[in-house]
Amino acid sequence: MATVFACGFLLATFAWPLEQPPPRGPPDTTMTAEAVPLDRADPARRRVGGLVFLGGWRLASRDVRFGGISAMHVEDGHVLALSDAGSLFRFPVPESAGALPLHIARVRRGPGSGGQKGDRDGEAMAVAGGNVWIAWEGRNAIWRYRRSDWALGAAAEPSAMERWPSMRGPEAMARLADGRFLVLAEGPEGQDGTTPALLFLDDPALPARSIGLRYRPPRGYRPTDAALLPDGRLLVLNRRFRVLTGFSAMLTIVNPGRIHPGQVLDGEELAALSGSLTSDNMEALSITSEGGRAIVWIASDDNYIALLQRTLLLKFALAE
C-alpha cells in the first residue's frame, strides 16, 4: 500500500540476513497477545453487521522485524503471516492473553536484492495444496513457492499488470474454487470509483491468459485483501483512512459467478469496523471453518510504527 506514514518504512529498509523459511522448529523469539474488545464503548458487544465477534488481540514483540502484516493464512491453529518487507511470521492463534512463540524468517528468493522494502513489498498471499503465491506490489509480480521448503517454483511479471502503479499495484489475491486467480489493485481509482482487477485463467506465476475487470470498493475505501468463502463467494477487505477519524475497514461479499471481460465487480456490505469499533490499518484476511461455521480472521499492518499503530488480530464467525 501507499502507506500513510512514510517514516514507518525506516525499520523495513535494514538488510537482515536471508534466513531459510519456512519459519518452523524452535521459535526465534516471543510475542505478546493482549485481548481487545470489539467495541471499546461497549465491551459486551458481540455483533457487527453479518459477523459475530469471537475474540481479538493486540500483538506485539520486542523484535524489530515484527510488524507490517499485509497478508496471512490461518490453518491448524497457526497463523502464517507475510509482511510488506518480505518477512514471514508463524505463531499459534492466541487462546488467551500472554506470551506466544514467534518464528520469523525472510522469504529467501524474491524480486531484487531484498535489502530494501521496495524489493520485497509483499501485499497478497494465496495458499493452496503444496504451493504459496505471493504478489510483490513494488514489482507488479507474482511468484509461486513450494510450501514445504519455500523453493521457488515460478515467477512472472504479467504484462496486464505492468501499467499498475508500483505502490498501488496488486493488493489482494484469492484463488477461486476452480483454480482461477482474482487479483485486485489498490489503484488508480477511475472516475467511476472502480479500481483495476484481473482474473487469471491459470497459474498467475506462469504466462497465463487473464481477463481485465474493475472492482468497485465502498466509497472512499481501497481493497487490501480477499479470501474465498466456503460457498464460493469472495470476501473482500477494504480500508479507509481519514485524518480526523483514522482508519476504518469494511468487508464486502462479491459473487464471482460468470465473469466477462470489462465486468465491474460490485460488493455487498457485510460489516464495517469504524467509530468506536476496534480497527486499524486492516490489510490481511483469512477464512477457516469451525463446527460448520465460516470463521473470518482479520489482521492489521502497523507500518512498523508501534507507538502510533497496532498489530491487531480479530476473529469473527459469519452469521449467515
Side-chain angles (χ1 to χ4, degrees):
M1 63 166 285
T3 182
V4 177
F5 302 104
C7 62
F9 290 158
L10 294 178
L11 286 177
T13 61
F14 295 135
W16 300 315
L18 298 184
E19 304 153 32
Q20 171 66 51
R24 297 181 183 274
D28 301 283
T29 184
T30 60
M31 64 189 298
T32 58
E34 175 190 351
V36 295
L38 169 63
D39 189 340
R40 59 182 180 272
D42 180 9
R45 182 175 176 179
R46 288 293 180 270
R47 182 72 182 259
V48 53
L51 295 177
V52 178
F53 182 66
L54 300 180
W57 303 270
R58 178 179 183 176
L59 308 178
S61 175
R62 292 183 178 180
D63 195 306
V64 296
R65 295 172 296 176
F66 182 72
I69 293 177
S70 293
M72 69 176 171
H73 176 73
V74 182
E75 184 178 7
D76 295 333
H78 283 78
V79 178
L80 176 66
L82 172 70
S83 83
D84 57 12
S87 290
L88 294 168
F89 311 122
R90 189 174 187 269
F91 54 89
V93 170
E95 295 183 358
S96 60
L100 295 170
L102 173 63
H103 300 77
I104 303 178
R106 295 280 285 167
V107 178
R108 182 176 53 164
R109 298 187 64 182
S113 66
Q116 301 293 323
K117 180 186 182 298
D119 291 340
R120 305 281 170 87
D121 187 356
E123 291 290 343
M125 178 172 64
V127 179
N131 293 310
V132 180
W133 288 261
I134 292 179
W136 301 107
E137 184 182 45
R139 300 300 184 98
N140 288 339
I142 299 176
W143 291 39
R144 171 167 47 83
Y145 300 86
R146 188 168 59 199
R147 193 176 180 185
S148 60
D149 58 4
W150 285 83
L152 179 63
E157 296 183 5
S159 59
M161 291 166 48
E162 65 183 4
R163 294 185 180 275
W164 288 6
S166 61
M167 293 304 294
R168 297 186 66 188
E171 188 79 16
M173 175 172 59
R175 186 177 186 269
L176 304 183
D178 59 8
R180 297 178 298 170
F181 285 75
L182 184 63
V183 179
L184 307 179
E186 187 181 7
E189 182 182 21
Q191 292 183 349
D192 59 354
T194 63
T195 59
L198 287 171
L199 179 68
F200 288 90
L201 305 185
D202 206 337
D203 186 343
L206 297 170
R209 189 162 63 94
S210 63
I211 295 174
L213 309 167
R214 303 290 295 182
Y215 168 66
R216 193 191 316 277
R219 186 174 181 180
Y221 285 79
R222 297 289 181 272
T224 57
D225 209 352
L228 194 68
L229 290 166
D231 61 9
R233 294 179 300 167
L234 196 69
L235 189 62
V236 181
L237 176 63
N238 305 272
R239 176 208 54 229
R240 182 180 67 188
F241 176 78
R242 289 180 173 173
V243 174
L244 296 180
T245 57
F247 288 102
S248 60
M250 186 177 293
L251 288 158
T252 59
I253 293 180
V254 172
N255 192 344
R258 293 183 177 180
I259 297 177
H260 57 80
Q263 181 176 344
V264 175
L265 301 176
D266 287 292
E268 178 183 353
E269 180 180 340
L270 175 67
L273 300 175
S274 59
S276 63
L277 299 187
T278 295
S279 185
D280 208 290
N281 182 26
M282 311 310 284
E283 289 216 10
L285 178 68
S286 186
I287 306 293
T288 61
S289 180
E290 292 181 8
R293 295 189 303 175
I295 303 298
V296 179
W297 302 84
I298 312 173
S300 65
D301 172 2
D302 69 351
N303 287 318
Y304 300 98
I305 319 175
L307 294 177
L308 298 177
Q309 293 181 244
R310 299 175 293 174
T311 297
L312 297 172
L313 178 65
L314 306 181
K315 179 182 181 182
F316 300 90
L318 194 63
E320 296 179 53

